[in-house]
Every structure is written in structure tokens, then in C-alpha cells.
């Protein structure tokens, strides 16, 4: 085939090298494709199945933990509204990080607690709306919107932030916040 290519296109070294690169590329693709395990019948892309003899076990489903995450977000909002920092702190992993908009990087429970105590001086309420929850059994990441009521110049006003929260599965079960970051939406006064 290479000899035929040389005869038809002349003895150009550029054409010869191009043909070799293309052939090598397709060989690598074929080798990689042969390494992909076959998909079991009655499964869709994204399902992970573990087979042992004739037993098939379905993989982790986000829908299984969504109620738990929603409940923790509700408890967080209740803790903030009640001024109960201990209720908020129960949700954080001991090595958690907090990255609020326009503020410092808070590392660990003591720094995060200090942040929330100072925030309670002006934040009166916050409702959390999860827009997505993705991940696996060990680590989840949540995105959404937070609707805040804050005290500004002796008046209550609304404010909206977009956020990302990373939840880490704990050895004793359940999840805790490992990292939380948010930015205020445009148009903030």
C-alpha cells in the first residue's frame, strides 16, 4: 500500500510521513478501543455494573442522597435564621474550606465558625435552591442559588448568590461540606 502511494503521488517524503502518521493514529485507536469492556445488556451509558458470577450490582445513584443533601441545606438555613452557629458547624468536615465572595480563604472549623458568627450580624435569612447535584458515592458537588435577606444600612434587602459546595462522605456515613464557595450575582448594590 505504501509503495502504491509512492507511485501515485510521487516520491515525496512529506506524503510518505503523513501516510505513516495516519496509519499509526488508527492503529493506536484500534488498540485503545479493544481495551474498552463490553456493555452489559439492558444498561445505558453511565451505568457501572459489577459482576460476580451471576450477581449484578447497580452502581451509586445521586437520587439516593439528594434528600439527605436537601435536608442538610434546610438545617443550615434554619441554623442561620436562628443564629445557631453550632447547627451550621455540624455540616462541615474538620478539614473544610470556605471561600466567600470578596472575602478571605477560611481553612478549618475554627476559621469557618468565626466567619459565620460575624456573618450572623447582618444576614437574617437564606434559602438555598440546588440546581444540580453530581458526583459519586465518595464526593458530591452541588451548584445552586442562595437567596439572602441581609441587613444593610438599617434596612432589610435581598441578595442572590451562585454557589458550589463539595460534599465528602464521612467514614461513619453521611456527608459533610468539604469546600463551599459562592459569588454574588451581578447587579448587587
Amino acid at each position: 500500500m505504501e509503495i502504491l502511494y509512492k507511485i501515485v503521488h510521487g516520491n515525496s517524503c512529506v506524503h510518505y510521513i503523513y501516510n505513516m502518521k495516519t496509519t499509526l493514529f488508527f492503529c493506536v485507536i484500534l488498540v485503545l478501543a479493544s481495551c474498552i469492556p463490553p456493555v452489559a445488556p439492558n444498561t445505558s451509558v453511565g451505568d457501572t455494573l459489577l459482576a460476580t458470577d451471576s450477581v449484578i450490582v447497580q452502581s451509586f445513584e445521586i437520587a439516593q442522597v439528594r434528600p439527605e443533601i436537601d435536608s442538610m441545606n434546610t438545617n443550615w438555613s434554619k441554623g442561620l435564621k436562628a443564629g445557631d452557629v453550632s447547627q451550621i458547624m455540624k455540616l462541615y468536615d474538620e478539614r473544610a474550606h470556605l471561600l466567600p465572595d470578596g472575602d478571605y480563604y477560611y481553612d478549618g472549623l475554627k476559621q469557618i465558625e468565626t466567619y459565620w458568627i460575624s456573618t450572623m450580624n447582618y444576614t437574617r435569612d437564606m434559602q438555598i435552591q440546588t440546581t444540580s447535584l453530581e458526583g459519586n458515592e465518595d464526593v458530591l458537588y452541588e451548584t445552586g442559588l442562595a437567596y439572602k435577606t441581609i441587613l444593610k444600612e438599617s434596612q432589610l434587602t435581598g441578595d442572590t448568590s451562585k454557589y458550589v459546595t463539595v460534599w465528602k462522605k464521612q467514614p461513619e456515613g453521611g456527608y459533610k461540606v468539604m469546600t463551599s464557595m459562592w459569588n454574588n450575582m451581578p447587579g448587587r448594590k
Side-chain angles (χ1 to χ4, degrees), residues 82-150:
D84 184 359
V85 75
S86 66
Q87 187 171 346
I88 292 171
M89 296 309 298
K90 289 177 189 175
L91 301 174
Y92 286 94
D93 184 88
E94 63 186 27
R95 295 174 294 133
H97 313 284
L98 190 68
L99 298 93
D101 182 51
D103 207 332
Y104 297 102
Y105 177 97
Y106 297 90
D107 188 29
L109 292 177
K110 289 217 181 274
Q111 289 184 8
I112 293 171
E113 183 177 32
T114 301
Y115 172 81
W116 285 119
I117 288 170
S118 69
T119 299
M120 288 180 182
N121 291 327
Y122 59 88
T123 304
R124 299 295 184 247
D125 191 16
M126 187 178 304
Q127 299 303 312
I128 298 171
Q129 177 189 353
T130 302
T131 56
S132 71
L133 183 64
E134 303 290 334
N136 58 44
E137 188 174 6
D138 296 321
V139 178
L140 303 169
Y141 58 93
E142 171 191 13
T143 61
L145 299 170
Y147 304 98
K148 301 176 276 189
T149 303
I150 57 174

Side-chain angles (χ1 to χ4, degrees), residues 2-17:
E2 292 175 27
I3 295 173
L4 179 60
Y5 185 84
K6 283 183 182 181
I7 293 170
V8 173
H9 296 286
N11 202 7
S12 170
C13 194
V14 172
H15 290 292
Y16 182 74
I17 291 171

